[in-house]
Amino acid sequence: MTRLPRLSTIAPGVPFADALARGIMETFAQEDDPLALTDVLILLPTRRAVRATTEAFGRVAAAKGMTTVLLPRIQPLGDVDEEVLMLEGFALDAEAELAVPPAIDEMGRAFALAKLVARKMEAAGTPAPMDQCVTLAYGLGQFIDTAHTERVPLNGLKELVPERFAEHWQQTLKFLEIVLEAWPRHLESAGKLNPAQRRDRLLGALAARWQQHPPAHPVIAAGTTGSIPATADLLKVIAGLETGHIVLPGLDCEAPARAWDAIEPSHPQFGLRALLAHIGAAREAVEAWPYSAPGKTQSRQRLINEALRPSAATDEWISTAKELGKGDPTAGLSFLVARHSGEEALAIALLLREAVEAPARTAALVTPDRTLARRVSAELKRFGLAIDDSAGLPLDQTPAAAFALHLVEAAAADWAPVPLLALLKHPLFHVGKTRAAVREAVDAIEL
């Protein structure tokens, strides 16, 4: 059995979840002890990462010919809650848990803040429609969570560049009295905390517990960059545990020291660099994750790393260009220029449709553009293909929610022709008749 390194990284060209699952199974699984893996605790950044890693364990077990496997405990760090912390072997002591008040739920906070916003606007003689108040309330909630996450005291807003934005800033400060004064009083009277505030306190309490009582079971934190300060503190504790292991995602171990030291906050490697500095570890101490072969796109990854080299070190491109020229980092890549977004979606849909015809091929669309993803999905439906969108379907785009929104919009417009026809033409509008009869009547009304 190979001992896992204290600090390691999985290369960008390697499937992260599968490599993580393979390494853990090779290290901790025992043929004579089916419960061996259950002693391992894996901490991942999000619930989606938890699902992906759980599925990866299934694939690795199937490849080994195992029909049944008892998985390690896999928990998310980014959205940790009391249910997670109360699991056996991962629990806070009763005194520490009672010392952390419960978090206010998101919906309750939005409406409570909306009431405070409405009072503030009415006091200033400004109209306060409820939809606008709720929108402002959600924005204030995000602002509060960001401040707690970054550990920025809100009372410092009053001393923030008052001389540069005198009149405008004073008006803004008057509105922000909601989060400076009214909201803290509301939370105190309710005996609750903001969600981000509670998360940070729970993570802090867990870090303190593990410092005082180090766990005997393996603790593996994987895939997180420690962008949340409370998470970074916990990772520092894990790195110091005898049974702790940290697996970083895609650390650039080949960047020259000069380029590494010049990395700025806008660089994708900055978070990893800051985490290593917070832990107190040098980049040279990070080893390659065992049981993960180098990715097939090493030359392409090298090209990407060079393209992202900090400007202060780009003079070294002259020497690295010769090395990059030895391989073909752009092999297999294609570039397509579409005239408009509709053509773009159709081209992607055709490529995905072509991949379906070859049994051994797989294809996936990776995009942050939700509109493009929906258009591609609609184009694929013309070919009779339903794709699995990992981002899910927004509630307002489900048939039932869309119908409810049409009903509200038509009523709010006093049954004006356009919103009324949108309601009448919706597939869920029946009024006790067949859809064909309803459509015939709607066509007559439209004429």
Side-chain angles (χ1 to χ4, degrees), residues 406-425:
H406 284 319
L407 178 61
V408 171
E409 289 168 359
D414 198 20
W415 314 106
V418 173
L420 177 60
L421 283 172
L423 171 65
L424 299 181
K425 289 182 178 182

Side-chain angles (χ1 to χ4, degrees), residues 31-386:
E31 294 184 3
D32 57 344
D33 185 4
L35 299 178
L37 278 179
T38 61
D39 289 334
V40 181
L41 174 63
I42 305 173
L43 301 178
L44 298 170
T46 62
R47 295 187 186 276
R48 180 180 291 185
V50 170
R51 290 194 299 270
T53 304
T54 302
E55 294 169 359
F57 271 103
R59 290 191 294 270
V60 173
K64 289 178 169 291
M66 303 169 65
T67 56
T68 305
V69 58
L70 295 176
L71 298 182
R73 290 166 294 164
I74 310 175
Q75 302 296 345
L77 266 180
D79 44 8
V80 68
D81 54 33
E82 56 217 294
E83 293 180 0
V84 171
L85 291 177
M86 289 174 62
L87 291 176
E88 183 181 357
F90 191 46
L92 296 173
D93 55 78
E95 182 179 354
E97 187 158 348
L98 289 174
V100 183
I104 188 170
D105 65 277
E106 293 286 349
M107 188 68 70
R109 180 173 72 174
F111 281 103
L113 280 171
K115 291 180 181 178
L116 295 175
V117 169
R119 292 175 193 167
K120 177 65 71 173
M121 294 176 69
E122 289 169 357
T126 306
M130 184 49 65
D131 60 338
Q132 183 179 351
C133 292
V134 171
T135 301
L136 287 171
Y138 273 109
L140 286 175
Q142 293 175 352
F143 172 70
I144 293 169
D145 282 343
T146 301
H148 284 305
T149 297
E150 299 299 331
R151 297 174 175 174
V152 176
L154 290 173
N155 53 17
L157 288 171
K158 295 180 179 180
E159 286 74 38
L160 190 64
V161 291
E163 69 285 349
R164 190 182 304 173
F165 306 111
E167 184 177 353
H168 173 267
W169 185 241
Q170 292 306 320
Q171 293 175 359
T172 303
L173 272 182
K174 195 159 188 66
F175 178 76
L176 288 178
E177 286 177 355
I178 296 172
V179 298
L180 294 174
E181 301 173 7
W183 183 244
R185 288 198 299 268
H186 176 84
L187 284 179
E188 186 178 0
S189 62
K192 295 186 177 181
L193 296 174
N194 288 299
Q197 191 178 12
R198 174 174 170 79
R199 177 204 60 209
D200 286 2
R201 289 200 188 180
L202 289 174
L203 289 174
L206 180 60
R209 174 177 169 79
W210 278 352
Q211 276 185 314
Q212 298 172 3
H213 307 285
H217 57 78
V219 178
I220 302 172
T224 180
T225 60
S227 57
I228 298 174
T231 303
D233 290 343
L234 180 60
L235 293 176
K236 183 176 182 179
V237 172
I238 293 173
L241 297 175
E242 184 64 29
T243 59
H245 309 276
I246 294 180
V247 186
L248 301 175
L251 177 69
D252 184 2
C253 297
E254 298 181 0
R258 179 165 168 247
W260 179 257
D261 294 337
I263 285 177
E264 300 175 345
S266 59
H267 196 280
Q269 291 280 323
F270 180 81
L272 295 173
R273 179 173 174 268
L275 177 60
L276 289 175
H278 185 73
I279 292 174
R283 184 177 51 145
E284 293 72 22
V286 181
E287 305 176 33
W289 177 250
Y291 309 104
S292 63
K296 298 179 180 180
T297 57
Q298 280 185 298
S299 59
R300 186 177 302 167
Q301 187 58 44
R302 179 70 189 280
L303 174 64
I304 294 173
N305 290 343
E306 288 298 327
L308 295 174
R309 181 188 284 261
S311 58
T314 52
D315 59 309
E316 296 179 0
W317 272 343
I318 298 175
S319 59
T320 58
K322 296 179 180 179
E323 298 178 18
L324 290 173
K326 296 177 182 178
D328 189 3
T330 60
L333 293 181
S334 301
F335 184 73
L336 186 147
V337 179
R339 291 172 296 179
H340 49 78
S341 57
E343 187 175 78
E344 178 188 19
L346 179 59
I348 295 172
L350 287 172
L351 290 171
L352 294 173
R353 172 68 182 84
E354 182 184 22
V356 173
E357 296 179 354
R361 289 185 63 188
T362 59
L365 169 62
V366 182
T367 174
D369 188 341
R370 299 306 313 144
T371 301
L372 175 62
R374 289 194 293 270
R375 284 182 171 178
V376 172
S377 178
E379 294 287 353
L380 286 173
K381 287 180 180 178
R382 295 168 54 188
F383 304 130
L385 296 175

